[in-house]
Amino acid sequence: MRKYFGTDGVRGRANGVITPELALKVGQAAGVVFQRGDHRHRVVIGKDTRLSGYMIETALVAGFTSVGMDVLLLGPMPTPAVAMLTRSMRADLGVMISASHNPFEDNGIKLFGPDGFKLNDEVELEIEALLDGGDLRKKLAGSRDLGRAKRIESVHARYIEFAKRTLPRHVTLEGLRVVVDCANGAAYRVAPETLWELGAEVISIGVEPDGFNINHDVGSTAPAALVNKVRELRADVGIALDGDADRVLIVDEKGQKVDGDQLMAVVARSWKEDERLTQPGLVATIMSNLGLERYVNGLGLNLARTAVGDRYVLEHMREHGYNLGGEQSGHIIMSDYATTGDGLVAALQLLSVVKRQERPVSEVCHCFEPLPQILKNVRFRSGEPLRADSVVTAIAHAKDRLGASGRLVIRPSGTEPVIRVMAEGDDRDLVNEVVDEVVDAVTKAAA
């Protein structure tokens, strides 16, 4: 069991869970763990646009420099950009200060190794051991060996060029009217500029961050503003990123939402035709729609499932040699290009298919009819409601009712005190009944 790290780094309420003291210690502990060798060590730090980012960034700088690591400050940058720059700039460690799609009150610390990949459980446990039991004062650098910190100004252009190079040279976005919603988050500068430089007509929303409005009624978790803008301007496509731009949601020219499952289907079909898949299939989580699984099976491909969390998708991809995977929520991982989900790159891959096929987004992206899928959340204060006998009985009964034609997934969230109850199947009424029964049992057990 990990005390500080969840499914996506350390996350919680700013100045509640994520305090300057904790950030300082994380910087010291991670700096100690990643000092391997006699060279001058360096760490790159990016952040999204939350007000608390200034506080956490400053505390991390103090922590890293106190153990002798030099710090390169990137400013507001997407999570995938930080991962890429960690490798590109030959850093020993990368840090992203973000709580992704959460409201501005929350924040988090994501860590990347020198290869640009998120840390595995073993390394996170090593850092936690230093946070709790290690005397970090004994690890401090001498006065002459303290680290230095400086801000790097050219990184936005580097990431824009990287994103553009994921498309073939002959592909342009000329003729496409694109609305991009940057969630008032980390991609508010780089996403619109990338699309414009590739030739699109770009209308930007969610590009006026003020420290408080990240993900507020904008972005991939609140796409109503994007849907309205696409319809108002008769745009060809809408692109919604989340606060740190590692996930994406698409809106077609009719204003219909396209989730990560449909995006993975589009890319899987395209890459299969181009013989680009390194394995005959892709990796998704237990939350991806059964319709996706049936669709890719029809293409002669397999769908491997993992626990929820892009880190688990990526681990399976690396272990078994896949180069495509993702989540229904819009984390799309293309390991040919990136070591984490990249919302902008995923959107570009979709737009390249749209341009090649010369068909509307609604036709390109409607690969399969999703099965009725119902997801409800139950908040709880403490305890383990899923262990209650009444809940165990309700779950078993629900699975029996769904049978082989449906799926039931119950899991605790990795980022908040919530039990997620999801069911899907061909019969929508049955799915609704099953979810309501399980939610009722969990609610009573959690009371």
Side-chain angles (χ1 to χ4, degrees):
M1 292 293 294
R2 294 174 297 177
K3 179 179 178 181
Y4 298 101
F5 287 91
T7 55
D8 199 14
V10 183
R11 186 179 297 186
R13 185 62 57 99
N15 256 359
V17 175
I18 309 296
T19 62
E21 292 84 0
L22 177 61
L24 173 74
K25 293 178 68 176
V26 169
Q28 291 175 330
V32 168
V33 169
F34 279 88
Q35 287 196 40
R36 303 166 179 177
D38 297 327
H39 63 279
R40 189 78 186 177
H41 293 81
R42 56 162 54 176
V43 54
V44 298
I45 300 179
K47 61 180 180 179
D48 63 24
T49 57
R50 295 163 210 268
L51 178 64
S52 57
Y54 294 102
M55 174 187 76
I56 298 168
E57 179 185 63
T58 302
L60 283 169
V61 169
F64 283 119
T65 55
S66 72
V67 295
M69 290 193 85
D70 293 334
V71 180
L72 305 178
L73 296 170
L74 309 178
M77 288 290 288
T79 287
V82 174
M84 182 273 290
L85 290 164
T86 300
R87 291 184 299 163
S88 174
M89 302 178 77
R90 296 182 63 186
D92 300 278
L93 185 63
V95 182
M96 178 64 182
I97 304 168
S98 176
S100 191
H101 58 280
N102 287 26
F104 90 92
E105 294 94 342
D106 295 339
N107 218 325
I109 302 171
K110 304 181 186 184
L111 301 177
F112 298 92
D115 55 3
F117 288 99
K118 293 179 180 178
L119 308 186
N120 59 37
D121 292 346
E122 290 75 19
V123 177
E124 288 182 348
L125 285 171
E126 189 178 352
I127 293 171
E128 287 209 354
L130 286 171
L131 289 175
D132 265 350
D135 188 351
L136 289 169
R137 289 175 297 179
K138 295 180 180 179
K139 308 290 186 180
L140 298 181
S143 299
R144 289 185 176 274
D145 298 319
L146 293 172
R148 294 177 170 85
K150 64 178 178 179
R151 197 163 293 278
I152 307 298
E153 301 296 340
S154 62
V155 289
H156 294 89
R158 292 176 69 159
Y159 176 69
I160 289 169
E161 285 304 312
F162 155 78
K164 289 163 58 179
R165 287 200 304 271
T166 63
L167 295 182
R169 286 184 177 275
H170 66 278
V171 174
T172 75
L173 304 183
E174 291 182 8
L176 287 180
R177 175 178 287 183
V178 180
V179 181
V180 60
D181 179 353
C182 299
N184 291 317
Y188 77 98
R189 288 177 57 186
V190 295
E193 189 165 340
T194 301
L195 293 164
W196 183 83
E197 289 187 11
L198 285 167
E201 178 188 349
V202 182
I203 300 94
S204 304
I205 62 176
V207 290
E208 297 178 350
D210 61 9
F212 305 99
N213 59 3
I214 187 170
N215 300 315
H216 182 66
D217 293 336
V218 285
S220 62
T221 54
L226 178 63
V227 169
N228 292 336
K229 187 63 71 172
V230 167
R231 287 173 173 165
E232 174 192 341
L233 299 177
R234 298 184 179 181
D236 298 296
V237 64
I239 300 169
L241 305 171
D242 68 339
D244 68 335
D246 64 352
R247 69 160 101 178
V248 64
L249 180 141
I250 298 296
V251 172
D252 68 22
E253 78 284 356
K254 298 177 181 179
Q256 299 171 327
K257 291 175 284 188
V258 179
D259 66 12
D261 284 349
Q262 295 283 6
L263 291 179
M264 285 189 283
V266 171
V267 177
R269 181 183 63 204
S270 175
W271 285 15
K272 181 180 186 294
E273 292 171 354
D274 295 341
E275 298 183 346
R276 292 182 55 189
L277 291 173
T278 54
Q279 290 291 337
L282 65 153
V283 183
T285 76
I286 55 176
M287 300 301 286
S288 278
N289 196 277
L290 192 57
L292 171 64
E293 186 170 346
R294 293 176 180 177
Y295 175 77
V296 297
N297 289 165
L299 295 175
L301 303 174
N302 68 78
L303 181 72
R305 290 186 185 267
T306 73
V308 173
D310 60 315
R311 62 180 293 167
Y312 301 115
V313 172
L314 185 55
E315 285 174 5
H316 193 92
M317 290 172 62
R318 297 180 72 186
E319 182 178 352
H320 299 280
Y322 291 86
N323 63 342
L324 176 62
E327 296 187 278
Q328 186 184 65
S329 61
H331 282 117
I332 310 298
I333 304 173
M334 304 172 181
S335 58
D336 290 354
Y337 306 124
T339 57
T340 185
D342 191 320
L344 178 59
V345 168
L348 293 180
Q349 290 299 309
L350 167 68
L351 295 181
S352 71
V353 175
V354 170
K355 289 291 290 185
R356 183 170 66 178
Q357 295 187 4
E358 297 183 339
R359 296 164 58 207
V361 174
S362 60
E363 295 181 14
V364 171
C365 287
H366 193 75
C367 295
F368 62 90
E369 196 65 41
L371 269 68
Q373 185 181 83
I374 306 297
L375 170 65
K376 293 188 177 181
N377 297 326
V378 182
R379 287 198 168 269
F380 65 99
R381 293 183 178 179
S382 62
E384 297 180 310
L386 292 183
R387 292 182 178 272
D389 291 342
S390 58
V391 175
V392 173
T393 300
I395 291 172
H397 183 246
K399 288 182 177 179
D400 287 341
R401 293 190 66 190
L402 287 171
S405 63
R407 293 194 311 126
L408 178 68
V409 178
I410 296 101
R411 67 178 186 89
S413 168
T415 58
E416 52 185 331
V418 164
I419 301 294
R420 306 197 193 281
V421 180
M422 187 278 282
E424 63 181 347
D426 294 299
D427 185 336
R428 179 177 291 277
D429 291 336
L430 175 60
V431 170
N432 266 309
E433 290 176 13
V434 162
V435 170
D436 286 342
E437 289 174 6
V438 175
V439 165
D440 184 59
V442 174
T443 301
K444 290 177 179 177

